[in-house]
């Protein structure tokens, strides 16, 4: 086995009333109204090798295999 490291950086422009909170489970979450949002890795796949390929997570078995391979995940939320 070999190790794959995936770095994902995303910036979102969000309304002022959305806030970062500490969820009871101990994680940081984005609070929108009464809902708590966590960001996670979502693998997408395609069988097409062209510019207009459609990427989905519909292959549940493949998606599950990839997610089961994740040995660590760290998410940090900050506003600036």
């Amino acid at each position: 086995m070999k190790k794959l490291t995936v770095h994902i950086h995303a910036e979102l422009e969000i309304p002022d009333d959305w806030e970062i909170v500490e969820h009871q489970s101990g994680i940081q979450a984005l609070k929108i109204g009464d809902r708590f949002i966590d960001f996670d890795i979502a693998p997408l796949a395609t069988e097409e090798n062209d510019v207009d390929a459609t990427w989905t997570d519909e292959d549940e078995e493949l998606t599950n295999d990839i997610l089961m391979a994740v040995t660590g995940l760290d998410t940090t939320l900050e506003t600036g």
Side-chain angles (χ1 to χ4, degrees), residues 24-76:
Q24 288 290 331
S25 65
I27 66 167
Q28 278 187 321
L30 182 62
K31 189 160 191 281
I32 303 172
D34 293 335
R35 302 189 78 183
F36 297 92
I37 311 302
D38 184 24
F39 293 88
D40 205 340
I41 186 171
L44 303 176
T46 188
E47 294 179 352
E48 305 166 21
N49 189 16
D50 58 67
V51 175
D52 296 322
T54 301
W55 296 81
T56 73
D57 61 355
E58 291 176 353
D59 185 337
E60 292 181 22
E61 185 175 341
L62 178 60
T63 298
N64 189 51
D65 287 347
I66 295 167
L67 292 177
M68 292 301 294
V70 175
T71 58
L73 182 65
D74 183 33
T75 303
T76 303

